Amino acid sequence: MVRPLNRVLLGLTGLVLVVLGGAVLAVGLGVRPPSWWVHDGRHDVLLGAAERTRWRGEGWWWPTVIGALALLVLLALWWFAAQLRRRRPAEVLVETGDGEGALLRGRAMESALESEAAALDGVRRARVRLAGRRAAPEARVRLGLAGDAVPEDVLRGLSTEALAHARDSAGLTRLPAKVRLRATKHHPERVS
């Protein structure tokens, strides 16, 4: 699951729970509820006997309740599994050409790419993360550019030097990359 969707779902769930809990607390402390509110006053119960048994005799009630609860459980399990899924490959499969293979640690490849990208002209800082599968990794590169950097030259240097070296040294046929460029803040230069 993508991180922004995860945050939105958690935020909405928390907001609904806070609003409902605050409203119930306010009514319990003596605040007069609006006419449409489910509780009439301070000593009202959440579900009365009539509300609990109103739909019990209907033929659609129990299949609907069971279906809704099953759907809720499946969504919760899917969300939980999405949290456990590893987003970064721990290792990259390196083809040695003799039918065998070697494993390269993903963090080592990230570190090598990061240091080579940071050494490019016009780059103040670099951050590299690998994604995808170990046989077909993808690079996610974030570069902080200096004020005088030319983005076209930085991208050309990244693709022809850093990414090409990583691709060739790992024996990969291709190493796709998503690059984000951002200008870093710098102090104004003094003019005298």
Side-chain angles (χ1 to χ4, degrees):
M1 180 179 296
V2 290
R3 193 174 291 167
L5 179 63
N6 194 15
R7 289 180 180 165
V8 167
L9 287 175
L10 283 174
L12 287 176
T13 303
L15 182 66
V16 167
L17 290 175
V18 166
V19 167
L20 287 176
V24 169
L25 180 64
V27 170
L29 292 175
V31 174
R32 181 157 171 77
S35 61
W36 51 267
W37 188 247
V38 294
H39 297 297
D40 293 336
R42 186 176 190 163
H43 299 290
D44 192 15
V45 293
L46 183 61
L47 287 173
E51 292 169 329
R52 283 195 316 266
T53 59
R54 176 170 39 174
W55 304 108
R56 197 180 290 178
E58 300 293 327
W60 58 268
W61 173 248
W62 288 114
T64 303
V65 168
I66 291 171
L69 291 176
L71 182 64
L72 188 65
V73 166
L74 288 175
L75 283 173
L77 287 174
W78 172 72
W79 193 6
F80 180 68
Q83 303 308 312
L84 296 178
R85 189 173 54 228
R86 186 174 269 196
R87 289 171 180 80
R88 295 168 50 188
E91 45 202 26
V92 176
L93 184 61
V94 178
E95 272 302 319
T96 56
D98 58 356
E100 298 290 323
L103 294 177
L104 171 65
R105 286 187 330 133
R107 292 195 191 249
M109 188 169 179
E110 289 173 352
S111 176
L113 257 169
E114 209 168 274
S115 61
E116 195 165 350
L120 293 171
D121 287 336
V123 176
R124 284 214 173 145
R125 77 179 156 254
R127 186 80 171 150
V128 177
R129 291 284 174 234
L130 290 180
R133 299 180 324 246
R134 71 182 197 166
E138 301 169 1
R140 307 273 195 268
V141 182
R142 290 184 179 181
L143 298 177
L145 301 180
D148 59 346
V150 179
E152 183 181 359
D153 295 341
V154 171
L155 278 176
R156 187 178 306 113
L158 180 70
S159 63
T160 59
E161 294 175 25
L163 289 172
H165 291 158
R167 184 186 62 238
D168 294 341
S169 65
L172 300 170
T173 56
R174 55 189 294 266
L175 180 60
K178 289 185 180 177
V179 182
R180 289 186 181 209
L181 303 176
R182 180 173 289 169
T184 57
K185 295 181 180 179
H186 56 88
H187 299 289
E189 295 179 17
R190 292 183 180 250
V191 178
S192 52

